[in-house]
Every structure is written in structure tokens, then in C-alpha cells.
């Protein structure tokens, strides 16, 4: 398939293009900036901008944009043409180093959680040279970070880069202790597996709930769901295969390593996974992937749903964040090594993750919290809201042996001593994989499975990187001062296992008994909803940790907590409004029309003869009329709840009201509507039903 190699990266200003188009000295200093974070001279920036512009124009671009990731969770762009007026009335194409490095979008409408007073509402965007520029449609997109004039981060990329730097700094200290001086940089890598649904566009457009909220707010169970497990990994339908082919090509052109695709558990649900890459690039690429998925779907008469729970009764969509730590010398620090010393190094990084996940369960949980994801976590299809870790039997046995100074390998009867014994290689077990664990070790990486399909992966990785940096910092502080490195190391690993083994659970995470044990015996947190977990961002231990590693400032944390809660409230509020609208303007009139026709049928039948039975019609009229009353009452109750919620000004209090009042009243409205759907003749129902949506492609 030479074609793939030909199209791959054709829309990316990547290393190959830079090398070919930049003078050698300019290329070298840019490379230094990319690899080592060295400061970029304006002369260099000017030369890079010029080459970038020429390349972009040659590839069909007319505009450029600073492409950034505000706290709305999606990406933002404002296009500027390269044109500049020439004295003779014509235009020339220009792009300066200054324009490349810094942009000033008048982005005053993005959420800032009070970080910018409106009179100084402009933020600025700053080029992230570690993520390649690319062409989308006819615009050169320059990946950037987005900050306020005070320097506070207004986006997801800035804290992500800071968290990567924090982890780099602490990991290098640890590696130095192991005598490793050649490593210059430690980076985390991520491979995000992305789930999504495809539905026919013409059906989608007939459903206000899908259009306004991304999920169905009504809908009775179809006769068939996912119970036969016949969709998972099943043969891909031709129309979907065409879509995937087109999607892959678009992604490849953008340098995105789209690799794996398959059908998922629910009907019309699919998954795409790229080959992993450095975390900030993986984040940019995942944002782009979600955008391109939707764009390509439109070309195929489809709509790609990225909502976490588009349909009740079948699985929702998540995103598995496969995460590892590696050095610039190509060593994955989460792989057991060849020598006892390397094994000890592996164990310390493993312990750092165990400690991080236990100490910062709340941060991990809240990093994936959205109104949409609240429908998945703990619903027997995704990991529970309780964070725990799966290590597998073998690794757990090794840790047990270390903790208790007992022999690990029964046959050898030797006591595990770090720095003496070589650990067994933990081969990835493909036969007995635990798919119910929120955080699973899979041989050389961890798979964090709680993310929702529409989440930016930035948030989860910010918290993960920061928490692991904190464990490593504590270890480095202790070990750097130790008299006897090896025994200090051994003692520390033992202590970590003892203190944090409660977070390790290799059993079935979907089991109710586990939730009971986790919360009652082990004291793990069970933060079920967004309002339950989000305020914990401001707990002292979390603020202390995140500010000490300079991942967030105190002001940034407050603003983020507000924005996330506000987003939760607004999303659910839109759903509630949509339900009221659909119930009043579509569902009740539809039932009314059917009932009226049934009544007419009765009259006509009786006109023929009063001996003709009208039992069925009568029964239906009675049932549907009673349901209509229920729907009317429930709609009114929801309307009142919305009106009363709107009076609340404090966002935390508002989020509790959403959780405790609005959401239950939405459920109460849905139930009679779904029941009425099952009793109403198909041609009367005002919008496409689940059977068509789920089996229509
Ligand atoms: P699964 O069985 O969970 O679908 P895959 O083998 O398909 O697992 O891998 C899932 C993702 O994990 C892919 O995106 C892959 O590139 C990524 N991955 C593999 N190795 C690593 C690693 N060392 N670090 C981060 N991600 C990785
Ligand atoms: Mg997976």
C-alpha cells in the first residue's frame, strides 16, 4: 500500500518538511527548541514563519490560525488571511515570526471563571513548537496555548505541558539516583482509544434531543439491543467501512497514526485507536480526530455521536487512556528491565503510580467528570465511580512477597530482595484481561478507562502526570539524602505497598460487593456525580500538590472548578428545556392525534353496528389518556424545577439542585413518554425511534 505512505503527513509541517525548507542553522535552532525547550529567537521565528507560509500556500492554504483548546472542551480557531496590501493596489502574502509566536484573539466569550475581567478580556495564544502545524481545509493551523494577560492558563494545553514538565523534572531526579546520567528528558505517552456511534443524518435531524444535546432524552427499548453480543468485533458494514476508509485517509494526511478500528458492543457503535504518541501531541491529535470524525460522517450522510450516553439501555461510549512513561533514550520506565537494578527502577516507578492513584483518587475521578460521563460510570458498562487499580495476579504476588519478606517463587524459596533478584517479565496477558478496572496495568502501560468519549484527554493526563510527579518527588527527596541507597529504596517500596495496597483490586469492578468492600472496608472514595467530585479540586491537599508543581495556580483552580460545574449545570439545563419542548410540542400532540383517531374509529364502528367490539380502542384510549395526564404533570413539574433552579446564583448550589431535583424530574418525564411510545402506532410518533437509529446504518 504505497498510497498510505504517500499521503501520510502531507498536510503537516513536520520534521521532514522543516529540514527540507529551512536553512540549516534555522532548522537546528528550531530543533533545539522542540527537543529541549530552548528559547526561540525572533530571527529564527521569522524564518520559520516564512517557510511555513510558503509551504502552506503551496499546499492550498489561504489563511492561518492559532489553534487552541479553551475550557469549552473543544478546539477554537480564528482565521486570518495571509494577505497584506501592496502599494500598487494588489496584495502580497505575508506571515511574520511575531504572528507565528503570539496571537491575540478577541476571545472574550470563552469561559474564564472570573480570571479575566471583561475590560481586559483578551487573552493571547502562544505557539507550542512541540506540536507540528498542519493544514485543515485551506487554513494553516498552529497549535497554541491560550493564556490571559496575567499569564493564567485559559486552556487545557498549558497545564498539560506544565504537568509533563513536572513529571520530567522528578523522574530525572530518580533516574540520576540509579546512576542514569544519559537521559535528558522523560516524557509520558498516550494512546487514546476512541469510541463513537454513527447514525443516519436524516434521522438525526428529526430529533431535537440529538441536535441540541447529543443524546436521546426519550426512547423506548427496541425489540433488539446488544444482548446477542453480535456487533462487538463483528463484520463492518459496507457503509461504515467506507466511512472508516475516508476517515483514516483524512487522519493520515494530518499525520495522525490511526491504526485500529472495530465494531463495539452496542449496535452502531465503533472504535478507533491510534498508535500512541507523546501526551501533548496525542491530545492535539485526539481533539482533531473527534473533529474529523464528525466532518467525514457528514460527507457520508451520517452523524458521528461522541456523547457518553447517546442511548439508554445500550452501552455508552468511553475513551481508554493508555499511558506510559519513557525516556528520550527509548526506555519505557513501566517495563520490567533485564537486570536486578533495572527491576528496582521499574518497581519505584510502579510504586509511584500506585501511590499517586491512591492519594489522588479524587483528582482522577474529577478529571473525567461531566454530565454525560455521569451516566456511564457505575452503570455496569464502564468502570465504577470508585477508582481502583488492576495489577494482575503475578505482579500483585511480587508486591506481596516484597511487603512480607516472603519467597515469591515457591520453587526457588528465595526471599525477594531488590537489587539482587531479577523480576519475572510481566507479559501482557491477553486471555484474562480485566476490563472492569478503572485503571489497569497491561504489561508496559496503564490503561485509565474512566474517560468519557467526548472528554479532552488533557484533563486526565494533567492529573495523572502531576500526581505521579508528586510521588516521585517524595521518593527523590528521601532517597537523595539516604546513607544506604539500596536499603532506603527497599524500605520505601515496602512502605508504599503497605500504605497503598487498598487501591489494588484484581476482581470484578462491576460487582456490587466490590463497591461495598471498597467504600466500607477499604475506605476508597465513591464520588458518583460531577457535583460530588468537582468541589474536591479545591481541597487543601489537592491545591497544595498542584500548585507546588506549578501545574495550576490557586486562581486557575478556582476558575476551573467554577467552569466545570457551570458547564455541568448548563448542559443538563439544556437537556431539561429540550425535554419540555419535545413533550409539549411533539409527544403530547402525537398521542392526542392517535387517541383522536382511535375515538373516531370507535364512533364509526358503532355507526355500523353497536354490536361491534371497541374494547381494544377503548383500552388504548384509556391508557394513553392516563399517560398523557402523567406526561403533562411531569412536564409541569420539570418546568417549575427549572424556573426555581434558575434563581440560584451560586454554581455549587446550582449543581446540587441539578443533581437532586432536575435530573430525577427528567427521568420522571421520560418514563411515561417511553411507555406511551410503545402503545402508539408507529406512524403517529413524532420522531425516529431507537430501532431506526440503532439499526438504520
Ligand atoms: P486494547 O486491547 O486495549 O484495545 P491495544 O493493543 O489496541 O489495546 O492498544 C490500545 C492503545 O494503547 C493503542 O493506542 C496503543 O498504541 C496504545 N499503547 C500501546 N503501548 C503503549 C505504551 N507503551 N504507552 C502508551 N500507549 C500505548
Ligand atoms: Mg483498551
Amino acid at each position: 500500500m504505497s498510497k498510505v505512505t504517500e499521503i501520510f503527513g502531507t498536510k503537516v509541517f513536520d520534521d521532514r518538511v522543516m529540514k527540507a525548507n529551512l536553512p540549516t542553522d534555522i532548522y537546528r535552532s528550531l530543533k533545539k527548541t522542540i527537543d529541549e525547550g530552548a528559547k526561540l529567537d525572533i530571527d529564527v521565528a521569522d524564518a520559520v514563519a516564512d517557510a511555513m507560509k510558503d509551504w502552506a500556500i503551496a499546499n492550498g492554504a489561504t489563511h492561518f490560525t492559532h489553534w487552541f483548546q479553551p475550557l469549552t472542551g473543544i478546539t477554537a480557531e480564528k482565521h486570518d488571511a495571509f494577505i497584506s496590501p501592496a502599494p500598487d493596489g494588489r496584495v502580497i502574502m505575508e506571515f511574520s515570526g511575531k504572528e507565528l509566536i503570539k496571537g491575540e484573539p478577541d476571545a472574550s466569550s470563552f469561559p474564564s471563571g472570573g480570571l479575566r475581567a471583561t475590560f481586559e478580556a483578551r487573552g493571547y495564544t502562544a505557539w507550542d513548537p512541540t506540536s507540528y502545524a498542519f493544514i485543515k481545509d485551506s487554513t494553516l493551523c498552529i497549535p497554541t496555548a491560550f493564556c490571559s494577560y496575567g499569564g493564567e492558563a485559559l486552556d487545557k494545553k498549558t497545564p498539560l505541558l506544565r504537568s509533563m514538565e513536572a513529571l520530567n523534572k522528578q523522574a530525572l531526579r530518580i533516574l540520576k539516583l540509579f546512576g542514569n546520567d544519559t537521559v535528558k528528558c522523560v516524557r509520558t505517552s498516550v494512546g487514546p482509544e476512541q469510541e463513537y456511534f454513527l447514525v443516519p443524518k436524516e434521522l438525526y435531524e428529526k430529533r431535537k434531543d440529538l441536535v441540541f444535546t447529543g443524546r436521546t432524552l426519550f426512547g423506548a427499548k427496541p425489540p433488539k439491543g446488544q444482548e446477542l453480543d453480535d456487533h462487538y468485533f463483528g463484520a463492518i458494514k459496507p457503509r461504515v467501512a467506507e466511512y472508516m476508509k475516508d476517515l483514516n485517509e483524512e487522519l493520515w494526511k494530518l499525520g495522525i497514526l490511526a491504526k485500529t478500528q472495530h465494531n463495539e458492543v452496542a449496535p452502531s457503535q465503533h472504535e478507533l485507536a491510534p498508535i500512541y504518541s507523546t501526551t501533548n501531541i496525542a491530545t492535539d491529535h485526539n481533539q482533531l480526530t473527534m473533529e474529523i470524525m464528525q466532518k467525514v460522517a457528514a460527507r457520508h450522510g451520517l452523524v458521528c455521536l461522541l456523547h457518553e450516553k447517546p442511548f439508554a439501555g445500550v452501552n455508552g461510549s468511553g475513551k481508554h487512556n493508555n499511558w506510559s512513561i519513557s525516556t528520550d533514550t527509548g526506555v519505557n520506565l513501566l517495563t520490567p528491565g533485564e537486570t536486578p537494578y533495572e527491576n528496582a527502577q521499574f518497581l519505584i516507578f510502579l510504586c509511584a503510580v500506585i501511590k499517586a492513584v491512591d492519594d489522588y483518587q479524587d483528582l482522577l475521578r474529577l478529571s473525567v467528570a461531566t454530565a454525560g460521563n455521569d451516566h456511564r460510570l457505575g452503570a455496569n458498562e464502564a468502570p465504577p465511580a470508585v477508582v481502583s487499580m488492576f495489577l494482575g495476579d503475578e505482579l500483585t504476588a511480587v508486591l506481596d512477597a516484597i511487603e512480607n519478606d516472603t519467597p515469591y517463587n515457591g520453587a526457588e524459596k528465595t526471599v525477594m530482595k531488590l537489587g539482587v533478584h531479577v523480576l519475572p517479565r510481566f507479559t501482557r496477558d491477553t486471555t484474562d484481561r480485566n476490563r472492569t478496572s478503572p485503571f489497569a496495568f497491561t504489561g508496559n502501560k496503564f490503561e485509565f478507562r474512566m474517560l468519557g468519549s467526548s472528554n479532552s484527554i488533557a484533563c486526565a493526563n494533567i492529573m495523572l502526570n502531576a500526581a505521579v510527579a508528586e510521588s516521585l518527588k517524595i521518593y527523590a527527596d528521601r532517597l537523595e539524602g539516604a546513607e544506604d541507597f539500596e536499603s532506603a529504596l527497599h524500605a520505601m517500596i515496602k512502605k508504599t505497598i503497605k500504605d497503598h495496597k487498598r487501591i489494588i483490586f484484581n476482581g470484578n469492578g462491576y460487582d456490587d460487593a466490590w463497591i461495598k468492600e471498597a467504600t466500607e472496608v477499604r475506605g476508597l472514595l465513591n464520588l458518583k456525580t460531577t457535583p460530588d467530585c468537582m468541589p474536591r479540586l479545591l481541597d487543601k491537599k489537592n491545591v497544595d500538590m498542584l500548585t507546588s508543581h506549578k501545574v495550576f495556580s490557586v486562581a486557575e483552580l478556582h476558575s476551573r472548578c467554577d467552569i466545570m460545574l457551570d458547564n455541568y449545570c448548563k448542559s443538563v439545563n439544556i437537556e431539561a428545556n429540550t425535554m419540555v419542548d419535545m413533550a409539549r410540542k411533539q409527544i403530547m400532540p402525537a398521542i392526542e392525534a392517535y387517541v383522536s383517531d382511535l375515538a373516531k374509529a370507535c364512533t364509526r364502528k358503532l355507526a355500523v353496528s353497536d354490536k361491534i367490539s371497541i374494547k381494544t380502542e377503548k383500552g388504548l384510549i384509556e391508557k394513553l389518556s392516563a399517560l398523557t395526564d402523567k406526561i403533562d404533570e411531569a412536564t409541569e413539574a420539570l418546568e417549575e424545577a427549572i424556573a426555581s433552579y434558575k434563581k440560584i446564583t451560586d454554581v455549587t448550589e446550582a449543581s446540587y439542585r441539578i443533581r437532586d431535583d432536575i435530573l430525577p424530574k427528567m427521568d420522571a418525564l421520560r418514563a411515561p413518554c417511553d411507555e406511551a411510545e410503545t402503545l402508539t402506532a408507529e406512524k403517529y410518533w413524532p420522531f425516529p425511534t431507537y430501532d431506526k437509529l440503532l439499526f438504520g446504518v
Side-chain angles (χ1 to χ4, degrees):
M1 280 263 284
S2 71
K3 198 157 167 267
V4 178
T5 53
E6 274 167 34
I7 64 169
F8 191 85
T10 44
K11 293 188 168 184
V12 187
F13 193 73
D14 58 16
D15 194 59
R16 191 185 37 151
V17 182
M18 290 179 198
K19 212 169 187 167
N21 291 287
L22 292 170
T24 315
D25 54 327
I26 301 286
Y27 171 76
R28 277 212 201 101
S29 48
L30 178 60
K31 202 70 184 123
K32 222 172 145 65
T33 302
I34 294 172
D35 294 342
E36 297 164 33
K39 209 172 138 27
L40 198 70
D41 274 355
I42 187 70
D43 301 349
V44 177
D46 277 332
V48 175
D50 211 44
M52 231 185 224
K53 177 201 71 187
D54 289 344
W55 168 82
I57 291 171
N59 284 283
T62 52
H63 289 66
F64 70 93
T65 183
H66 277 201
W67 184 77
F68 60 103
Q69 299 167 26
L71 297 170
T72 51
I74 51 174
T75 54
E77 46 195 77
K78 179 186 127 196
H79 302 176
D80 278 305
F82 288 117
I83 57 165
S84 176
D88 61 359
R90 296 192 300 173
V91 291
I92 50 167
M93 301 299 255
E94 268 187 353
F95 184 47
S96 69
K98 233 177 94 196
E99 286 172 303
L100 167 64
I101 291 179
K102 191 169 170 180
E104 297 185 13
D106 181 20
S108 47
S109 293
F110 287 116
S112 76
L115 279 182
R116 291 172 302 168
T118 29
F119 58 86
E120 49 153 0
R122 290 188 315 167
Y124 70 91
T125 49
W127 181 32
D128 168 14
T130 61
S131 183
Y132 297 135
F134 56 90
I135 296 172
K136 188 157 61 74
D137 301 324
S138 40
T139 301
L140 169 70
C141 299
I142 300 152
T144 54
F146 179 40
C147 298
S148 76
Y149 269 95
E152 289 104 351
L154 297 170
D155 69 349
K156 304 204 176 193
K157 180 180 275 244
T158 308
L160 179 66
L161 291 171
R162 292 176 186 157
S163 75
M164 289 169 70
E165 183 44 39
L167 191 135
N168 174 48
K169 189 172 156 193
Q170 303 305 332
L172 285 176
R173 287 176 69 193
I174 298 286
L175 291 179
K176 206 168 219 115
L177 285 166
F178 280 88
N180 193 334
D181 290 319
T182 48
V183 173
K184 280 211 210 76
C185 177
V186 172
R187 286 192 178 129
T188 56
S189 305
V190 170
E193 300 165 61
Q194 176 74 47
E195 293 181 346
Y196 61 97
F197 280 85
L198 289 176
V199 296
K201 191 159 186 282
E202 70 276 10
L203 302 184
Y204 166 92
E205 279 163 355
K206 292 194 181 118
R207 295 214 41 146
K208 293 190 198 189
D209 48 4
L210 284 179
V211 172
F212 293 139
T213 74
R215 75 174 178 114
T216 55
L217 300 165
F218 299 100
K221 271 201 174 68
K224 180 182 177 205
Q226 64 188 38
E227 55 277 78
L228 292 178
D229 284 328
D230 52 354
H231 192 254
Y232 188 56
F233 282 22
I236 297 170
K237 289 182 191 162
R239 189 170 176 194
V240 176
E242 282 298 309
Y243 166 78
M244 289 177 167
K245 180 170 175 280
D246 204 1
L247 174 62
N248 286 332
E249 280 178 13
E250 291 299 325
L251 295 175
W252 290 333
K253 284 184 206 164
L254 289 165
I256 297 171
L257 295 157
K259 167 96 174 158
T260 309
Q261 61 200 27
H262 58 81
N263 286 350
E264 259 300 329
V265 172
S268 83
Q269 190 185 30
H270 314 279
E271 180 182 298
L272 179 143
I275 297 173
Y276 66 97
S277 52
T278 307
T279 305
N280 64 319
I281 293 164
T283 305
D284 287 358
H285 281 179
N286 183 247
Q287 293 296 126
L288 262 179
T289 300
M290 291 195 283
E291 186 185 326
I292 306 292
M293 277 178 158
Q294 288 167 310
K295 205 188 257 172
V296 172
R299 292 212 285 258
H300 290 255
L302 299 167
V303 173
C304 171
L305 302 177
L306 291 169
H307 193 283
E308 281 75 16
K309 193 73 186 173
F311 304 101
V314 295
N315 278 10
S317 299
K319 179 142 59 191
H320 292 173
N321 189 83
N322 295 275
W323 175 93
S324 64
I325 319 174
S326 51
T327 67
D328 59 342
T329 52
V331 178
N332 179 349
L333 296 169
L334 296 178
T335 314
E338 304 288 349
T339 67
Y341 229 54
E342 285 169 3
N343 287 166
Q345 188 180 292
F346 160 73
L347 278 173
I348 198 164
F349 280 98
L350 178 77
C351 284
V353 181
I354 296 172
K355 178 174 163 55
V357 175
D358 188 28
D359 285 342
Y360 299 99
Q361 297 161 45
D362 44 1
L363 288 182
L364 291 177
R365 168 65 184 94
L366 69 85
S367 76
V368 301
T370 58
N373 214 15
D374 282 359
H375 295 291
R376 272 178 77 243
L377 300 175
N380 270 333
E381 58 176 75
V386 177
V387 178
S388 68
M389 269 173 114
F390 169 86
L391 292 183
D393 293 339
E394 194 176 18
L395 196 47
T396 306
V398 170
L399 296 187
D400 264 355
I402 295 171
E403 184 197 353
N404 301 312
D405 288 323
T406 50
Y408 162 64
N409 188 329
E412 280 179 29
K413 295 262 182 263
T414 50
V415 174
M416 285 291 291
K417 263 256 153 44
L418 288 175
V420 181
H421 295 286
V422 178
L423 298 179
R425 272 216 168 250
F426 307 103
T427 44
R428 185 182 153 139
D429 191 345
T430 44
T431 51
D432 185 26
R433 302 230 3 239
N434 184 320
R435 296 196 170 269
T436 64
S437 174
F439 204 97
F441 185 67
T442 51
N444 61 357
K445 63 183 193 295
F446 281 97
E447 188 169 345
F448 184 29
R449 300 201 178 108
M450 288 171 87
L451 287 78
S453 47
S454 71
N455 286 165
S456 158
I457 62 168
C459 309
N461 288 293
I462 292 167
M463 296 310 177
L464 190 51
N465 292 342
V468 173
E470 173 69 6
S471 303
L472 293 173
K473 177 182 178 291
I474 291 170
Y475 291 170
D477 285 349
R478 234 178 269 161
L479 292 175
E480 278 168 357
E483 290 195 354
D484 175 2
F485 175 69
E486 259 174 55
S487 52
L489 179 66
H490 192 84
M492 225 173 56
I493 288 176
K494 269 179 79 163
K495 182 172 157 48
T496 300
I497 300 166
K498 206 182 223 54
D499 292 350
H500 299 287
K501 66 180 174 192
R502 65 171 186 162
I503 199 77
I504 299 166
F505 175 64
N506 294 328
N508 180 4
Y510 295 1
D511 200 342
D512 288 337
W514 158 240
I515 304 301
K516 206 168 142 66
E517 179 189 329
T519 51
E520 290 171 18
V521 182
R522 302 196 188 199
L524 299 179
L525 294 170
N526 186 12
L527 305 168
K528 288 189 187 143
T529 67
T530 303
D532 295 326
C533 60
M534 202 51 74
R536 293 194 174 238
L537 184 59
L538 303 178
D539 283 2
K540 188 175 180 311
K541 81 163 177 52
N542 295 332
V543 174
D544 286 352
M545 187 277 278
L546 291 165
T547 54
S548 77
H549 289 281
K550 302 200 164 45
V551 173
F552 287 111
S553 69
V554 176
E556 286 168 356
L557 287 171
H558 280 272
S559 88
R560 261 153 228 258
C561 182
D562 271 10
I563 290 168
M564 296 313 288
L565 284 174
D566 189 49
N567 189 286
Y568 168 84
C569 292
K570 284 179 177 154
S571 309
V572 181
N573 186 43
I574 292 169
E575 292 179 349
N577 286 332
T578 305
M579 285 189 91
V580 169
D581 183 277
M582 290 172 80
R584 280 223 192 289
K585 295 194 192 151
Q586 297 187 302
I587 296 176
M588 285 197 271
I591 303 172
E592 209 59 47
Y594 183 44
V595 167
S596 158
D597 282 355
L598 285 170
K600 274 186 216 150
C602 293
T603 324
R604 287 186 198 140
K605 274 182 159 182
L606 292 174
V608 175
S609 150
D610 61 5
K611 302 235 163 42
I612 295 178
S613 166
I614 52 163
K615 191 169 150 245
T616 310
E617 290 85 346
K618 241 182 101 186
L620 269 173
I621 291 171
E622 273 167 18
K623 276 190 213 157
L624 283 169
S625 301
L627 281 170
T628 308
D629 287 348
K630 272 197 195 162
I631 294 170
D632 188 42
E633 280 161 31
T635 308
E636 215 154 277
L638 182 56
E639 271 177 320
E640 277 166 23
I642 296 169
S644 138
Y645 147 82
K646 283 208 176 117
K647 295 196 189 108
I648 305 172
T649 49
D650 178 69
V651 69
T652 312
E653 201 191 314
S655 73
Y656 294 149
R657 181 67 71 85
I658 291 276
R659 178 193 64 190
D660 301 333
D661 193 31
I662 306 271
L663 281 167
K665 289 199 167 116
M666 285 164 61
D667 289 342
L669 172 55
R670 177 174 184 151
C673 292
D674 289 358
E675 197 183 335
E677 184 197 314
T678 65
L679 297 172
T680 304
E682 200 168 288
K683 67 170 186 185
Y684 290 84
W685 204 250
F687 39 76
T689 47
Y690 268 32
D691 50 346
K692 308 251 175 0
L693 288 166
L694 285 168
F695 297 93
V697 176

